[in-house]
Amino acid sequence: MVGTYRGGADACTGLLDFQIDEEKMFKGTSLRLPSTACSSIPVPEGTKITLTLPDDFHHHFREGPVMADVLEHATQQFGRAIAMPNLKPPVTTTEKAIKYRDALLASLPSQLPHGSFEPLMTLYLTDNTTPEEVRKAHATGFVQACKYYPAGATTNSDAGVTDVKKTYPALRAMAEIGMVLCIHSEVSTPTIDIFDREPVFIDEIIKPLVAEMPNLKIVMEHISTKEAVDYVLSAPSNVKASITCHHILYNRNALLVGGIKPHFYCLPILKRECHREALLEAATSGNPKFFLGTDSAPHTVESKESACGCAGAYTAHAALQLYAEAFESVGKLKNLEGFCSHYGADHYGLPRNEGTITLEKKEWVVPMRYKFGVNEVRPLRAGEVISWSIVS
């Protein structure tokens, strides 16, 4: 990473400060990071940092005409992205993965900001996924992983895994060929509190799985708790984790204080401040066990702002800039490149991108809505300022 950076002593004042204008959730909630996060003097306006072109190891492109609108944003920031398979119906076979990849490639913008973009495909793991299907998918060269959704845990996960042991034959085949297992690490048991589902999953599913299959490459995706951070740090080298920008910038107050803010509702749900702090420390530490995965998940405005709103935060429009804000807040911009551009590719066994991207400390205001097919999506920070911009 090149460019100028100037850190500073701790400078922390105030508590989590909410400023809600007359449009409330439509305008968005203006949030300053809590005092414990404000441990660095901000870098000067005009500061530029150049990174190896990042990859996103967790992205929801959806399907149909909306793909083109999502790709318009994703291709501005990333050279590659893992395409999540929870479509309707889900991407459970190699043939479906090929068809979905073809649709994504056909939906790419005519002018790509960084010259190329590669969707990295995944299979949706079920109780019935066979070792033969796993090997067939891996042989394509572009199916990089299988995704484990506990049945009922999140959007379009009803066809997911009901018993992890039913997937063991497929997982053993994945370990043999070096294929990555991506895991939504939450139990879906109705009696387990939604804020406790990740720690319970670690104890009941992850720990026995890692002991059973020590050679299986695992990504605990979008971790959201201190317990997950502590486990990944203690786990063997085959276990790593992705972290979203919204989980290191916001805690559950953003969702619940001053009225329910549906565009902060995501799964895993935002947690207490102590968990956000642990995630921020892990992401910015320079430890290669943690890397970028946005979990950018678009839904129409109407499906978010409803009596039963969908889970997902849309960050494809500004994910890299939001990560930069978080890293700057603790004086760790020097570690941004590894997190965004190196560690994920290394874990997946992919070459690091050769291109670069440059960010500048320059404010811009996020639009209230973006086109999403014939509908619209409301992005994170709608109507608010982001302090970093992509300039090349």
Side-chain angles (χ1 to χ4, degrees):
M1 182 173 68
V2 297
T4 57
Y5 169 75
R6 185 171 65 215
D10 289 356
C12 304
T13 58
L15 298 174
L16 191 60
D17 181 14
F18 289 83
Q19 300 174 346
I20 306 175
D21 71 5
E22 67 276 6
E23 291 184 81
K24 294 185 178 178
M25 70 177 179
F26 300 103
K27 179 78 172 179
T29 303
S30 180
L31 287 157
R32 300 191 184 99
L33 286 171
S35 58
T36 53
C38 303
S39 59
S40 173
I41 296 173
V43 302
E45 292 293 317
T47 297
K48 293 183 179 181
I49 52 175
T50 295
L51 314 173
T52 302
L53 185 63
D55 298 310
D56 184 358
F57 286 95
H58 188 130
H59 206 99
H60 293 275
F61 293 103
R62 305 308 188 203
E63 54 191 317
V66 301
M67 290 188 295
D69 298 313
V70 178
L71 283 161
E72 186 71 35
H73 286 148
T75 56
Q76 294 174 21
Q77 306 187 50
F78 304 112
R80 298 170 294 207
I82 287 281
M84 287 292 106
N86 56 332
L87 309 183
K88 293 182 178 180
V91 182
T92 53
T93 66
T94 305
E95 287 72 21
K96 290 179 180 178
I98 292 171
K99 183 178 180 181
Y100 188 31
R101 180 175 183 268
D102 289 343
L104 287 167
L105 292 173
S107 300
L108 287 173
S110 57
Q111 298 293 323
L112 291 169
H114 304 287
S116 65
F117 179 84
E118 182 182 2
L120 306 173
M121 309 313 293
T122 55
L123 287 192
Y124 185 110
L125 195 67
T126 74
D127 292 348
N128 302 312
T129 303
T130 65
E132 292 75 22
E133 191 65 53
V134 164
R135 292 190 178 94
K136 181 180 179 181
H138 186 258
T140 64
F142 54 75
V143 179
Q144 299 291 335
C146 286
K147 178 61 182 278
Y148 180 128
Y149 289 103
T154 189
T155 303
N156 298 343
S157 64
D158 292 343
V161 175
T162 64
D163 180 352
V164 65
K165 291 185 177 180
K166 292 181 178 180
T167 70
Y168 274 15
L171 298 186
R172 290 192 180 96
M174 291 172 61
E176 291 172 6
I177 60 180
M179 196 174 188
V180 175
L181 175 65
C182 302
I183 305 183
H184 183 113
S185 305
E186 292 186 296
V187 296
S188 54
T189 310
T191 56
I192 303 298
D193 189 281
I194 193 169
F195 292 101
D196 299 328
R197 292 182 175 186
E198 189 170 272
V200 171
F201 189 92
I202 292 169
D203 287 337
E204 293 186 354
I205 305 296
I206 293 285
K207 289 180 178 179
L209 174 60
V210 172
E212 181 75 18
M213 299 186 195
N215 296 320
L216 179 63
K217 295 171 73 172
I218 293 173
V219 178
M220 292 179 61
E221 298 199 297
H222 46 51
I223 60 171
S224 63
T225 59
K226 184 179 186 300
E227 289 89 342
V229 170
D230 291 343
Y231 173 69
V232 172
L233 288 172
S234 68
S237 60
N238 59 306
V239 179
K240 298 185 180 177
S242 65
I243 302 178
T244 76
C245 52
H246 44 287
H247 282 102
I248 60 176
L249 284 170
Y250 300 104
N251 63 34
R252 64 188 186 181
N253 285 358
L255 171 65
L256 298 171
V257 173
I260 293 175
K261 313 299 190 307
H263 297 283
F264 285 102
Y265 173 54
C266 57
L267 291 173
I269 198 165
L270 298 174
K271 306 296 197 301
R272 289 180 180 271
E273 174 61 9
C274 61
H275 299 294
R276 189 200 67 82
E277 290 176 348
L279 293 165
L280 180 62
E281 182 177 358
T284 61
S285 67
N287 189 321
K289 281 206 157 196
F290 304 99
F291 54 83
L292 184 155
T294 67
D295 192 18
S296 179
H299 295 280
T300 65
V301 173
E302 292 74 20
S303 62
K304 290 289 289 182
E305 298 171 8
S306 71
C308 187
C310 295
Y314 186 65
T315 57
H317 65 297
L320 193 56
Q321 300 95 308
L322 291 168
Y323 282 115
E325 279 194 2
F327 277 64
E328 181 191 11
S329 75
V330 289
K332 293 292 183 68
L333 281 171
K334 64 182 180 180
N335 293 335
L336 183 64
E337 183 176 44
F339 177 84
C340 294
S341 310
H342 295 166
Y343 306 148
D346 294 347
H347 187 57
Y348 274 81
L350 298 169
R352 296 176 181 179
N353 290 319
E354 295 182 358
T356 61
I357 191 168
T358 298
L359 297 170
E360 182 178 352
K361 183 71 177 295
K362 182 172 65 175
E363 292 185 348
W364 61 287
V365 177
V366 179
M368 292 301 298
R369 301 186 182 203
Y370 286 110
K371 182 176 177 293
F372 188 55
V374 298
N375 297 295
E376 293 178 309
V377 62
R378 193 179 306 284
L380 199 71
R381 291 273 186 95
E384 297 180 27
V385 170
I386 292 179
S387 59
W388 288 87
S389 301
I390 294 174
V391 294
S392 66

PDB file of all heavy atoms in Angstrom, residues 72-99:
ATOM      1  N   GLU A  72     -22.906  -3.325 -11.561  1.00  0.00           N
ATOM      2  CA  GLU A  72     -22.433  -1.969 -11.833  1.00  0.00           C
ATOM      3  C   GLU A  72     -21.650  -1.423 -10.639  1.00  0.00           C
ATOM      4  O   GLU A  72     -20.635  -0.734 -10.795  1.00  0.00           O
ATOM      5  CB  GLU A  72     -23.624  -1.058 -12.147  1.00  0.00           C
ATOM      6  CG  GLU A  72     -23.252   0.337 -12.592  1.00  0.00           C
ATOM      7  CD  GLU A  72     -22.650   0.375 -13.994  1.00  0.00           C
ATOM      8  OE1 GLU A  72     -23.074  -0.428 -14.844  1.00  0.00           O
ATOM      9  OE2 GLU A  72     -21.744   1.205 -14.217  1.00  0.00           O
ATOM     10  N   HIS A  73     -22.124  -1.745  -9.441  1.00  0.00           N
ATOM     11  CA  HIS A  73     -21.431  -1.302  -8.235  1.00  0.00           C
ATOM     12  C   HIS A  73     -20.247  -2.203  -7.890  1.00  0.00           C
ATOM     13  O   HIS A  73     -19.153  -1.719  -7.589  1.00  0.00           O
ATOM     14  CB  HIS A  73     -22.409  -1.278  -7.054  1.00  0.00           C
ATOM     15  CG  HIS A  73     -23.370  -0.148  -7.101  1.00  0.00           C
ATOM     16  ND1 HIS A  73     -24.649  -0.220  -6.601  1.00  0.00           N
ATOM     17  CD2 HIS A  73     -23.253   1.107  -7.608  1.00  0.00           C
ATOM     18  CE1 HIS A  73     -25.272   0.933  -6.778  1.00  0.00           C
ATOM     19  NE2 HIS A  73     -24.448   1.751  -7.384  1.00  0.00           N
ATOM     20  N   ALA A  74     -20.456  -3.514  -7.910  1.00  0.00           N
ATOM     21  CA  ALA A  74     -19.407  -4.443  -7.470  1.00  0.00           C
ATOM     22  C   ALA A  74     -18.147  -4.329  -8.317  1.00  0.00           C
ATOM     23  O   ALA A  74     -17.029  -4.414  -7.797  1.00  0.00           O
ATOM     24  CB  ALA A  74     -19.942  -5.873  -7.491  1.00  0.00           C
ATOM     25  N   THR A  75     -18.313  -4.133  -9.612  1.00  0.00           N
ATOM     26  CA  THR A  75     -17.148  -4.097 -10.506  1.00  0.00           C
ATOM     27  C   THR A  75     -16.317  -2.828 -10.339  1.00  0.00           C
ATOM     28  O   THR A  75     -15.181  -2.764 -10.803  1.00  0.00           O
ATOM     29  CB  THR A  75     -17.589  -4.224 -11.976  1.00  0.00           C
ATOM     30  OG1 THR A  75     -18.547  -3.191 -12.277  1.00  0.00           O
ATOM     31  CG2 THR A  75     -18.213  -5.581 -12.241  1.00  0.00           C
ATOM     32  N   GLN A  76     -16.857  -1.811  -9.680  1.00  0.00           N
ATOM     33  CA  GLN A  76     -16.094  -0.598  -9.426  1.00  0.00           C
ATOM     34  C   GLN A  76     -15.048  -0.794  -8.341  1.00  0.00           C
ATOM     35  O   GLN A  76     -14.084  -0.035  -8.250  1.00  0.00           O
ATOM     36  CB  GLN A  76     -17.042   0.542  -9.025  1.00  0.00           C
ATOM     37  CG  GLN A  76     -17.983   0.981 -10.120  1.00  0.00           C
ATOM     38  CD  GLN A  76     -18.987   2.012  -9.639  1.00  0.00           C
ATOM     39  OE1 GLN A  76     -18.766   2.686  -8.631  1.00  0.00           O
ATOM     40  NE2 GLN A  76     -20.092   2.144 -10.348  1.00  0.00           N
ATOM     41  N   GLN A  77     -15.231  -1.843  -7.510  1.00  0.00           N
ATOM     42  CA  GLN A  77     -14.387  -2.005  -6.328  1.00  0.00           C
ATOM     43  C   GLN A  77     -13.591  -3.299  -6.298  1.00  0.00           C
ATOM     44  O   GLN A  77     -12.567  -3.366  -5.612  1.00  0.00           O
ATOM     45  CB  GLN A  77     -15.254  -1.959  -5.068  1.00  0.00           C
ATOM     46  CG  GLN A  77     -16.116  -0.724  -4.968  1.00  0.00           C
ATOM     47  CD  GLN A  77     -16.829  -0.642  -3.640  1.00  0.00           C
ATOM     48  OE1 GLN A  77     -16.225  -0.786  -2.587  1.00  0.00           O
ATOM     49  NE2 GLN A  77     -18.134  -0.429  -3.692  1.00  0.00           N
ATOM     50  N   PHE A  78     -14.067  -4.321  -7.012  1.00  0.00           N
ATOM     51  CA  PHE A  78     -13.502  -5.653  -6.856  1.00  0.00           C
ATOM     52  C   PHE A  78     -13.092  -6.263  -8.192  1.00  0.00           C
ATOM     53  O   PHE A  78     -13.705  -5.994  -9.229  1.00  0.00           O
ATOM     54  CB  PHE A  78     -14.509  -6.575  -6.165  1.00  0.00           C
ATOM     55  CG  PHE A  78     -14.981  -6.066  -4.837  1.00  0.00           C
ATOM     56  CD1 PHE A  78     -16.300  -5.645  -4.655  1.00  0.00           C
ATOM     57  CD2 PHE A  78     -14.109  -5.983  -3.762  1.00  0.00           C
ATOM     58  CE1 PHE A  78     -16.736  -5.163  -3.434  1.00  0.00           C
ATOM     59  CE2 PHE A  78     -14.529  -5.498  -2.532  1.00  0.00           C
ATOM     60  CZ  PHE A  78     -15.842  -5.086  -2.357  1.00  0.00           C
ATOM     61  N   GLY A  79     -12.061  -7.105  -8.137  1.00  0.00           N
ATOM     62  CA  GLY A  79     -11.645  -7.847  -9.324  1.00  0.00           C
ATOM     63  C   GLY A  79     -12.342  -9.182  -9.443  1.00  0.00           C
ATOM     64  O   GLY A  79     -12.537  -9.703 -10.545  1.00  0.00           O
ATOM     65  N   ARG A  80     -12.740  -9.736  -8.296  1.00  0.00           N
ATOM     66  CA  ARG A  80     -13.448 -11.009  -8.246  1.00  0.00           C
ATOM     67  C   ARG A  80     -14.418 -10.972  -7.073  1.00  0.00           C
ATOM     68  O   ARG A  80     -14.226 -10.202  -6.126  1.00  0.00           O
ATOM     69  CB  ARG A  80     -12.470 -12.181  -8.045  1.00  0.00           C
ATOM     70  CG  ARG A  80     -11.463 -12.359  -9.159  1.00  0.00           C
ATOM     71  CD  ARG A  80     -10.377 -13.367  -8.793  1.00  0.00           C
ATOM     72  NE  ARG A  80      -9.521 -12.916  -7.699  1.00  0.00           N
ATOM     73  CZ  ARG A  80      -8.261 -13.291  -7.523  1.00  0.00           C
ATOM     74  NH1 ARG A  80      -7.701 -14.157  -8.374  1.00  0.00           N
ATOM     75  NH2 ARG A  80      -7.545 -12.849  -6.498  1.00  0.00           N
ATOM     76  N   ALA A  81     -15.435 -11.818  -7.126  1.00  0.00           N
ATOM     77  CA  ALA A  81     -16.359 -11.900  -5.996  1.00  0.00           C
ATOM     78  C   ALA A  81     -17.004 -13.269  -5.964  1.00  0.00           C
ATOM     79  O   ALA A  81     -17.390 -13.819  -6.998  1.00  0.00           O
ATOM     80  CB  ALA A  81     -17.431 -10.815  -6.085  1.00  0.00           C
ATOM     81  N   ILE A  82     -17.112 -13.813  -4.757  1.00  0.00           N
ATOM     82  CA  ILE A  82     -17.826 -15.070  -4.543  1.00  0.00           C
ATOM     83  C   ILE A  82     -19.321 -14.800  -4.667  1.00  0.00           C
ATOM     84  O   ILE A  82     -19.873 -13.963  -3.951  1.00  0.00           O
ATOM     85  CB  ILE A  82     -17.513 -15.646  -3.152  1.00  0.00           C
ATOM     86  CG1 ILE A  82     -16.092 -16.217  -3.106  1.00  0.00           C
ATOM     87  CG2 ILE A  82     -18.529 -16.697  -2.759  1.00  0.00           C
ATOM     88  CD1 ILE A  82     -15.939 -17.585  -3.727  1.00  0.00           C
ATOM     89  N   ALA A  83     -19.969 -15.493  -5.603  1.00  0.00           N
ATOM     90  CA  ALA A  83     -21.405 -15.319  -5.828  1.00  0.00           C
ATOM     91  C   ALA A  83     -22.175 -16.310  -4.958  1.00  0.00           C
ATOM     92  O   ALA A  83     -22.039 -17.522  -5.118  1.00  0.00           O
ATOM     93  CB  ALA A  83     -21.729 -15.545  -7.306  1.00  0.00           C
ATOM     94  N   MET A  84     -22.971 -15.787  -4.063  1.00  0.00           N
ATOM     95  CA  MET A  84     -23.742 -16.649  -3.175  1.00  0.00           C
ATOM     96  C   MET A  84     -24.814 -17.423  -3.948  1.00  0.00           C
ATOM     97  O   MET A  84     -25.420 -16.885  -4.891  1.00  0.00           O
ATOM     98  CB  MET A  84     -24.383 -15.819  -2.070  1.00  0.00           C
ATOM     99  CG  MET A  84     -23.394 -15.330  -1.034  1.00  0.00           C
ATOM    100  SD  MET A  84     -22.700 -16.683  -0.030  1.00  0.00           S
ATOM    101  CE  MET A  84     -21.045 -16.802  -0.706  1.00  0.00           C
ATOM    102  N   PRO A  85     -25.062 -18.687  -3.549  1.00  0.00           N
ATOM    103  CA  PRO A  85     -25.934 -19.560  -4.347  1.00  0.00           C
ATOM    104  C   PRO A  85     -27.376 -19.651  -3.869  1.00  0.00           C
ATOM    105  O   PRO A  85     -28.124 -20.500  -4.353  1.00  0.00           O
ATOM    106  CB  PRO A  85     -25.244 -20.918  -4.166  1.00  0.00           C
ATOM    107  CG  PRO A  85     -24.757 -20.876  -2.751  1.00  0.00           C
ATOM    108  CD  PRO A  85     -24.350 -19.440  -2.503  1.00  0.00           C
ATOM    109  N   ASN A  86     -27.794 -18.791  -2.921  1.00  0.00           N
ATOM    110  CA  ASN A  86     -29.147 -18.925  -2.364  1.00  0.00           C
ATOM    111  C   ASN A  86     -30.189 -18.221  -3.237  1.00  0.00           C
ATOM    112  O   ASN A  86     -30.859 -17.263  -2.835  1.00  0.00           O
ATOM    113  CB  ASN A  86     -29.208 -18.403  -0.922  1.00  0.00           C
ATOM    114  CG  ASN A  86     -28.739 -16.967  -0.774  1.00  0.00           C
ATOM    115  OD1 ASN A  86     -27.917 -16.481  -1.553  1.00  0.00           O
ATOM    116  ND2 ASN A  86     -29.270 -16.291   0.227  1.00  0.00           N
ATOM    117  N   LEU A  87     -30.298 -18.716  -4.459  1.00  0.00           N
ATOM    118  CA  LEU A  87     -31.308 -18.220  -5.394  1.00  0.00           C
ATOM    119  C   LEU A  87     -32.592 -19.023  -5.214  1.00  0.00           C
ATOM    120  O   LEU A  87     -32.698 -19.888  -4.352  1.00  0.00           O
ATOM    121  CB  LEU A  87     -30.796 -18.356  -6.841  1.00  0.00           C
ATOM    122  CG  LEU A  87     -29.415 -17.785  -7.144  1.00  0.00           C
ATOM    123  CD1 LEU A  87     -29.107 -17.943  -8.626  1.00  0.00           C
ATOM    124  CD2 LEU A  87     -29.314 -16.318  -6.728  1.00  0.00           C
ATOM    125  N   LYS A  88     -33.581 -18.730  -6.042  1.00  0.00           N
ATOM    126  CA  LYS A  88     -34.834 -19.499  -6.051  1.00  0.00           C
ATOM    127  C   LYS A  88     -35.047 -20.096  -7.436  1.00  0.00           C
ATOM    128  O   LYS A  88     -35.414 -19.363  -8.352  1.00  0.00           O
ATOM    129  CB  LYS A  88     -36.022 -18.592  -5.688  1.00  0.00           C
ATOM    130  CG  LYS A  88     -36.021 -18.082  -4.267  1.00  0.00           C
ATOM    131  CD  LYS A  88     -37.276 -17.245  -4.014  1.00  0.00           C
ATOM    132  CE  LYS A  88     -37.356 -16.749  -2.587  1.00  0.00           C
ATOM    133  NZ  LYS A  88     -38.584 -15.946  -2.349  1.00  0.00           N
ATOM    134  N   PRO A  89     -34.794 -21.401  -7.647  1.00  0.00           N
ATOM    135  CA  PRO A  89     -34.265 -22.375  -6.694  1.00  0.00           C
ATOM    136  C   PRO A  89     -32.768 -22.195  -6.501  1.00  0.00           C
ATOM    137  O   PRO A  89     -32.101 -21.546  -7.317  1.00  0.00           O
ATOM    138  CB  PRO A  89     -34.590 -23.712  -7.370  1.00  0.00           C
ATOM    139  CG  PRO A  89     -34.566 -23.396  -8.829  1.00  0.00           C
ATOM    140  CD  PRO A  89     -35.118 -22.012  -8.961  1.00  0.00           C
ATOM    141  N   PRO A  90     -32.197 -22.783  -5.438  1.00  0.00           N
ATOM    142  CA  PRO A  90     -30.776 -22.591  -5.151  1.00  0.00           C
ATOM    143  C   PRO A  90     -29.863 -23.287  -6.153  1.00  0.00           C
ATOM    144  O   PRO A  90     -30.279 -24.211  -6.873  1.00  0.00           O
ATOM    145  CB  PRO A  90     -30.625 -23.192  -3.748  1.00  0.00           C
ATOM    146  CG  PRO A  90     -31.755 -24.160  -3.605  1.00  0.00           C
ATOM    147  CD  PRO A  90     -32.890 -23.575  -4.388  1.00  0.00           C
ATOM    148  N   VAL A  91     -28.608 -22.848  -6.171  1.00  0.00           N
ATOM    149  CA  VAL A  91     -27.596 -23.385  -7.094  1.00  0.00           C
ATOM    150  C   VAL A  91     -26.999 -24.647  -6.466  1.00  0.00           C
ATOM    151  O   VAL A  91     -25.962 -24.601  -5.809  1.00  0.00           O
ATOM    152  CB  VAL A  91     -26.518 -22.337  -7.384  1.00  0.00           C
ATOM    153  CG1 VAL A  91     -25.501 -22.883  -8.379  1.00  0.00           C
ATOM    154  CG2 VAL A  91     -27.139 -21.053  -7.912  1.00  0.00           C
ATOM    155  N   THR A  92     -27.647 -25.767  -6.671  1.00  0.00           N
ATOM    156  CA  THR A  92     -27.264 -27.013  -6.005  1.00  0.00           C
ATOM    157  C   THR A  92     -26.452 -27.958  -6.876  1.00  0.00           C
ATOM    158  O   THR A  92     -25.936 -28.949  -6.368  1.00  0.00           O
ATOM    159  CB  THR A  92     -28.519 -27.767  -5.531  1.00  0.00           C
ATOM    160  OG1 THR A  92     -29.412 -27.924  -6.652  1.00  0.00           O
ATOM    161  CG2 THR A  92     -29.236 -27.001  -4.424  1.00  0.00           C
ATOM    162  N   THR A  93     -26.323 -27.666  -8.173  1.00  0.00           N
ATOM    163  CA  THR A  93     -25.611 -28.567  -9.071  1.00  0.00           C
ATOM    164  C   THR A  93     -24.607 -27.788  -9.925  1.00  0.00           C
ATOM    165  O   THR A  93     -24.707 -26.567 -10.070  1.00  0.00           O
ATOM    166  CB  THR A  93     -26.573 -29.307 -10.016  1.00  0.00           C
ATOM    167  OG1 THR A  93     -27.176 -28.355 -10.908  1.00  0.00           O
ATOM    168  CG2 THR A  93     -27.661 -30.044  -9.229  1.00  0.00           C
ATOM    169  N   THR A  94     -23.698 -28.523 -10.511  1.00  0.00           N
ATOM    170  CA  THR A  94     -22.708 -27.904 -11.394  1.00  0.00           C
ATOM    171  C   THR A  94     -23.381 -27.227 -12.576  1.00  0.00           C
ATOM    172  O   THR A  94     -22.991 -26.122 -12.978  1.00  0.00           O
ATOM    173  CB  THR A  94     -21.718 -28.968 -11.881  1.00  0.00           C
ATOM    174  OG1 THR A  94     -21.143 -29.635 -10.748  1.00  0.00           O
ATOM    175  CG2 THR A  94     -20.618 -28.355 -12.731  1.00  0.00           C
ATOM    176  N   GLU A  95     -24.391 -27.874 -13.134  1.00  0.00           N
ATOM    177  CA  GLU A  95     -25.096 -27.297 -14.275  1.00  0.00           C
ATOM    178  C   GLU A  95     -25.735 -25.954 -13.910  1.00  0.00           C
ATOM    179  O   GLU A  95     -25.691 -24.989 -14.691  1.00  0.00           O
ATOM    180  CB  GLU A  95     -26.172 -28.265 -14.787  1.00  0.00           C
ATOM    181  CG  GLU A  95     -25.623 -29.466 -15.524  1.00  0.00           C
ATOM    182  CD  GLU A  95     -24.942 -30.491 -14.615  1.00  0.00           C
ATOM    183  OE1 GLU A  95     -25.219 -30.488 -13.385  1.00  0.00           O
ATOM    184  OE2 GLU A  95     -24.130 -31.285 -15.127  1.00  0.00           O
ATOM    185  N   LYS A  96     -26.309 -25.874 -12.718  1.00  0.00           N
ATOM    186  CA  LYS A  96     -26.920 -24.618 -12.284  1.00  0.00           C
ATOM    187  C   LYS A  96     -25.852 -23.546 -12.052  1.00  0.00           C
ATOM    188  O   LYS A  96     -26.076 -22.358 -12.336  1.00  0.00           O
ATOM    189  CB  LYS A  96     -27.737 -24.838 -11.019  1.00  0.00           C
ATOM    190  CG  LYS A  96     -29.013 -25.648 -11.255  1.00  0.00           C
ATOM    191  CD  LYS A  96     -29.777 -25.856  -9.955  1.00  0.00           C
ATOM    192  CE  LYS A  96     -31.055 -26.656 -10.199  1.00  0.00           C
ATOM    193  NZ  LYS A  96     -31.807 -26.909  -8.947  1.00  0.00           N
ATOM    194  N   ALA A  97     -24.696 -23.954 -11.542  1.00  0.00           N
ATOM    195  CA  ALA A  97     -23.607 -23.002 -11.338  1.00  0.00           C
ATOM    196  C   ALA A  97     -23.103 -22.452 -12.670  1.00  0.00           C
ATOM    197  O   ALA A  97     -22.819 -21.256 -12.791  1.00  0.00           O
ATOM    198  CB  ALA A  97     -22.466 -23.667 -10.573  1.00  0.00           C
ATOM    199  N   ILE A  98     -22.995 -23.317 -13.671  1.00  0.00           N
ATOM    200  CA  ILE A  98     -22.574 -22.874 -15.008  1.00  0.00           C
ATOM    201  C   ILE A  98     -23.584 -21.882 -15.578  1.00  0.00           C
ATOM    202  O   ILE A  98     -23.217 -20.827 -16.120  1.00  0.00           O
ATOM    203  CB  ILE A  98     -22.413 -24.085 -15.945  1.00  0.00           C
ATOM    204  CG1 ILE A  98     -21.228 -24.950 -15.487  1.00  0.00           C
ATOM    205  CG2 ILE A  98     -22.231 -23.643 -17.387  1.00  0.00           C
ATOM    206  CD1 ILE A  98     -21.129 -26.278 -16.213  1.00  0.00           C
ATOM    207  N   LYS A  99     -24.857 -22.206 -15.448  1.00  0.00           N
ATOM    208  CA  LYS A  99     -25.909 -21.329 -15.968  1.00  0.00           C
ATOM    209  C   LYS A  99     -25.899 -19.978 -15.261  1.00  0.00           C
ATOM    210  O   LYS A  99     -26.036 -18.917 -15.902  1.00  0.00           O
ATOM    211  CB  LYS A  99     -27.272 -22.008 -15.797  1.00  0.00           C
ATOM    212  CG  LYS A  99     -28.433 -21.215 -16.373  1.00  0.00           C
ATOM    213  CD  LYS A  99     -29.749 -21.973 -16.222  1.00  0.00           C
ATOM    214  CE  LYS A  99     -30.918 -21.185 -16.785  1.00  0.00           C
ATOM    215  NZ  LYS A  99     -32.214 -21.918 -16.618  1.00  0.00           N
TER     216      LYS A  99
END
